[in-house]
């Protein structure tokens, strides 16, 4: 987008009470001035005005629902499940109707990693990154279904260059570069408690990515929907980059989605406890919604237990969805109706003298949209498929603790450990049953237990202080004896 003129932007800023954005103009170099004009040209001042008036200057009243009900879910897939869904999903993959879509534009603040979160070396032995793991899953599916599964990667203006450089440096993990498309999400200014945009540098408004809901516009703006349609793709499998275990294009899930001719489908998992930090799938006055965990106290029913003591509204949101391309276009055309959310955050700013201040307490607001809000626009009740967490859901938000790198590595060791045991290996386990050594099995080699057992037959797998199996099924750790 071409930068708008100084005069035009000064007028706009004045019209919306944001003239302070030009406070340091006289002292800016020509490139800093160009940078400021460029940043402000991207801003939707009218939208920001609405957000500020309805979210910052007034506290919006919480939405009221007369009736909240649990959603109907399809139970987790097991050996007794009707294979019609699997057949339909496999057929869609073979027919080339499927693309994967990862959102990787977040700031990853809690993890505190310098590079894009997807480049995090999650493999405890190999150091393979999250992106690398997801790419290996795509390799496996492409080989298995003799198909091409394009990969759309949503980045933000902040990590776009770094992410592309990383993919280039890793030679696209062996995938064809023309099957990978980066789409860039938009950013929105951060504002203070009085609704003024915050400056984080004399010529630089503080901005933040517009949330994973921004993926709707990014898919259209970035050409992914055109790309998909030109290849006859109508199924977009959405996942988040920090879920190491995710099944990136699960044939069962695709099958349920296709058989229902759904606009959008979601996976759910049982909430561990009532206060678990996950959104809750439910029907609010008949409309499918995900209620954020921060809002649970507004809707006390969501904190009820059933007769067994488990959460009655059990369907937690692991952020795994399928969207049809037509539905993404519909949402994009109606994006004005998409809800926004605000977050109170510490946002570095420059004071009157132009010095950078890093606040100790939240001093401003970031605005975001959430992809799960698309569910409320779905014409028919969406397909909701329950999953068990091991081997599907290991979100990584921080290094240690709940939803962490450490917890994800343990969960995968326990999960893959079972495969190895079924293949005849003996795995050291603690009294609790937890696996005591790190384990990595390349998803390019095996995506499922059955595939692993079939392929591992006749191979020597040595469990030392851990084990890593590569894409060819070679045990690369402990190193093979030559
Ligand atoms: P989170 O909300 O957990 O944020 O994003 P985050 O950036 O990973 O981490 P924190 O909150 O700053 O610590 C969940 C997923 O949504 C993506 C993230 O990249 C992650 O895959 N996301 C989030 C975006 O792509 N864009 C956004 O604007 C926000």
């Amino acid at each position: 987008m071409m930068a708008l003129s100084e005069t035009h932007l000064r007028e706009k800023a004045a019209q919306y009470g944001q003239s302070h954005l030009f406070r340091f103009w006289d002292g800016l170099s020509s490139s800093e001035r160009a940078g400021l004009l460029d940043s402000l040209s991207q801003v939707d001042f009218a939208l920001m005005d609405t957000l500020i008036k309805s979210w910052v200057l007034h506290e919006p009243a919480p939405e009221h629902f007369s009736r909240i009900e649990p959603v109907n879910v399809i139970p987790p897939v097991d050996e007794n499940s009707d294979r019609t869904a699997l057949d339909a999903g496999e057929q869609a993959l073979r027919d080339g109707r499927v693309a994967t879509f990862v959102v990787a534009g977040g700031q990853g603040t809690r993890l505190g990693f310098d590079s894009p979160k997807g480049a995090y070396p999650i493999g405890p032995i190999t150091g393979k990154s999250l992106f690398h793991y997801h790419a290996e899953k795509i390799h496996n599916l492409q080989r298995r279904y003799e198909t091409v599964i394009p990969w759309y990667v949503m980045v933000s203006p902040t990590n776009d260059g770094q992410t592309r450089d990383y993919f280039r440096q890793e030679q696209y993990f062996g995938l064809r570069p023309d099957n990978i498309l980066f789409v860039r999400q938009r950013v929105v200014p951060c504002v203070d408690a009085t609704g003024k945009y915050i400056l984080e540098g004399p010529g630089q408004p503080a901005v933040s990515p517009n949330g994973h809901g921004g993926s709707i516009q990014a898919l259209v703006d970035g050409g992914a929907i055109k790309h998909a349609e030109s290849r006859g793709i109508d199924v977009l499998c959405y996942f988040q980059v920090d879920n190491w275990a995710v099944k990136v294009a699960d044939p069962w899930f695709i099958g349920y989605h296709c058989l229902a001719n759904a606009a959008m489908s979601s996976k759910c998992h049982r909430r561990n406890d009532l206060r678990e930090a996950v959104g809750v799938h439910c029907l609010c006055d008949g409309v499918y919604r995900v209620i954020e965990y921060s809002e649970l106290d507004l809707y006390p029913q969501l904190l009820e237990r059933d007769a067994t003591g488990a959460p009655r509204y059990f369907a937690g949101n692991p952020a795994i969805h399928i969207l049809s391309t037509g539905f993404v276009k519909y949402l994009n055309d109606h994006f004005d109706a998409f809800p926004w959310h605000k977050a109170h955050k510490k946002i570095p700013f420059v004071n009157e003298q132009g010095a950078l201040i890093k606040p100790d307490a939240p001093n401003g607001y970031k605005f975001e949209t959430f992809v799960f809000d698309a569910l409320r626009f779905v014409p028919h009740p969406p397909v909701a498929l329950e999953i068990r967490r091991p081997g599907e859901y290991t979100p990584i938000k921080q290094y240690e603790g709940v939803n962490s790198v450490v917890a994800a590595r343990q969960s995968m060791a326990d999960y893959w450990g079972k495969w190895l045991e079924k293949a005849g290996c003996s795995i050291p386990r603690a009294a609790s049953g937890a696996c005591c050594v790190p384990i990595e099995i390349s998803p390019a080699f095996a995506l499922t237990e059955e595939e692993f057992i079939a392929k591992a037959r006749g191979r020597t797998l040595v469990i030392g202080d851990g084990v890593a199996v590569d894409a060819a099924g070679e045990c690369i750790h402990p190193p093979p004896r030559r």
Side-chain angles (χ1 to χ4, degrees):
M1 182 186 187
M2 278 259 294
L4 302 170
S5 72
E6 179 195 342
T7 319
H8 179 87
L9 288 167
R10 276 189 187 268
E11 276 169 18
K12 265 257 150 68
Q15 182 189 347
Y16 289 102
Q18 306 292 346
S19 295
H20 67 285
L21 293 169
F22 286 89
R23 195 167 58 200
F24 298 104
W25 182 261
D26 292 343
L28 298 182
S29 67
S30 55
S31 69
E32 287 169 330
R33 286 181 176 184
L36 177 61
L37 297 182
D38 192 43
S39 305
L40 295 181
S41 300
Q42 323 282 331
V43 173
D44 183 338
F45 282 90
L47 167 69
M48 287 306 297
D49 196 49
T50 311
L51 295 181
I52 290 165
K53 287 186 177 141
S54 46
W55 282 100
V56 178
L57 303 183
H58 303 103
E59 188 61 38
E63 281 183 280
H64 171 77
F65 306 112
S66 327
R67 198 164 38 97
I68 302 187
E69 299 156 279
V71 289
N72 284 327
V73 300
I74 302 169
V77 168
D78 60 23
E79 58 283 0
N80 301 319
S81 303
D82 176 358
R83 292 177 68 88
T84 316
L86 177 63
D87 293 344
E90 293 193 317
Q91 196 54 48
L93 281 157
R94 270 189 213 101
D95 291 345
R97 287 177 56 193
V98 178
T100 52
F101 170 39
V102 65
V103 290
Q107 294 171 307
T109 340
R110 287 166 286 175
L111 185 59
F113 178 56
D114 269 350
S115 303
K117 203 175 189 181
Y120 189 84
I122 189 61
I125 299 172
T126 62
K128 272 191 307 204
S129 67
L130 289 160
F131 279 134
H132 196 155
Y133 264 92
H134 299 322
E136 290 197 335
K137 298 173 201 173
I138 297 174
H139 272 297
N140 185 315
L141 293 164
Q142 293 195 144
R143 186 183 60 221
R144 185 187 305 187
Y145 297 113
E146 299 180 328
T147 192
V148 172
I149 305 175
W151 191 10
Y152 305 137
V153 182
M154 184 173 85
V155 291
S156 72
T158 320
N159 68 14
D160 185 346
Q162 271 185 307
T163 308
R164 287 175 201 252
D165 285 350
Y166 177 67
F167 270 69
R168 219 173 290 126
Q169 172 199 318
E170 296 298 324
Q171 298 176 359
Y172 301 90
F173 312 102
L175 294 167
R176 282 183 51 156
D178 56 339
N179 290 327
I180 299 177
L181 192 73
F182 296 92
V183 300
R184 197 197 257 218
Q185 69 179 118
R186 301 181 193 182
V187 291
V188 277
C190 306
V191 306
D192 67 17
T194 67
K196 299 279 182 229
Y197 298 6
I198 294 175
L199 281 172
E200 65 177 10
Q204 218 181 334
V207 293
S208 63
N210 62 352
H212 39 64
S215 58
I216 301 299
Q217 292 172 317
L219 283 170
V220 176
D221 297 349
I225 294 297
K226 270 216 176 84
H227 180 272
E229 287 183 334
S230 72
R231 295 185 176 205
I233 290 168
D234 62 341
V235 176
L236 301 178
C237 294
Y238 169 102
F239 63 98
Q240 302 195 331
V241 75
D242 55 13
N243 182 6
W244 181 20
V246 68
K247 295 181 176 170
V248 298
D250 174 6
W252 280 97
F253 188 33
I254 295 168
Y256 285 118
H257 172 87
C258 291
L259 289 174
N261 205 10
M264 181 165 179
S265 302
S266 284
K267 286 189 171 177
C268 306
H269 62 72
R270 297 224 163 223
R271 289 157 76 201
N272 278 338
D273 60 67
L274 292 174
R275 291 291 176 184
E276 187 181 356
V278 290
V280 180
H281 290 241
C282 52
L283 286 181
C284 299
D285 291 337
V287 177
Y288 199 108
R289 298 255 185 157
V290 174
I291 303 285
E292 266 189 283
Y293 63 90
S294 56
E295 294 184 344
L296 289 182
D297 286 309
L298 299 173
Y299 309 106
Q301 303 92 307
L302 299 178
L303 297 170
E304 286 169 7
R305 297 178 187 281
D306 65 16
T308 68
R312 187 157 97 81
Y313 293 79
F314 66 81
N317 179 36
I320 304 167
H321 310 284
I322 296 180
L323 293 107
S324 77
T325 46
F327 187 53
V328 171
K329 287 201 291 187
Y330 169 86
L331 291 169
N332 184 58
D333 291 343
H334 297 82
F335 205 71
D336 285 352
F338 224 77
W340 286 81
H341 304 257
K342 75 170 179 198
H344 203 198
K345 297 275 181 182
K346 290 184 226 167
I347 301 164
F349 63 99
V350 285
N351 65 11
E352 290 296 321
Q353 290 70 44
L356 182 68
I357 312 285
K358 290 193 172 163
D360 299 329
N363 60 322
Y365 296 97
K366 293 183 175 180
F367 296 103
E368 284 188 307
T369 52
F370 296 150
V371 78
F372 56 69
D373 282 324
L375 288 161
R376 65 179 72 175
F377 299 96
V378 172
H380 309 291
V383 171
L385 172 64
E386 187 186 333
I387 56 167
R388 299 196 180 86
R389 299 182 198 216
E392 285 229 45
Y393 184 52
T394 55
I396 291 159
K397 304 296 176 192
Q398 53 190 342
Y399 183 72
E400 263 175 316
V402 177
N403 293 341
S404 65
V405 168
V406 172
R409 288 180 175 158
Q410 183 62 52
S411 164
M412 294 312 288
D414 293 338
Y415 179 70
W416 282 322
K418 282 197 193 126
W419 294 10
L420 284 159
E421 282 166 341
K422 291 220 172 133
C425 301
S426 156
I427 301 290
R429 287 186 181 272
S432 64
C435 178
C436 299
V437 291
I439 301 179
E440 283 185 63
I441 295 185
S442 164
F445 177 62
L447 270 185
T448 61
E449 185 180 290
E450 300 69 52
E451 187 181 7
F452 180 74
I453 292 168
K455 287 185 168 177
R457 208 164 283 136
R459 288 174 195 264
T460 314
L461 297 173
V462 182
I463 317 292
D465 55 353
V467 59
V469 175
D470 73 3
E474 292 289 332
C475 203
I476 49 171
H477 181 96
R481 290 206 194 139
R482 300 276 178 217

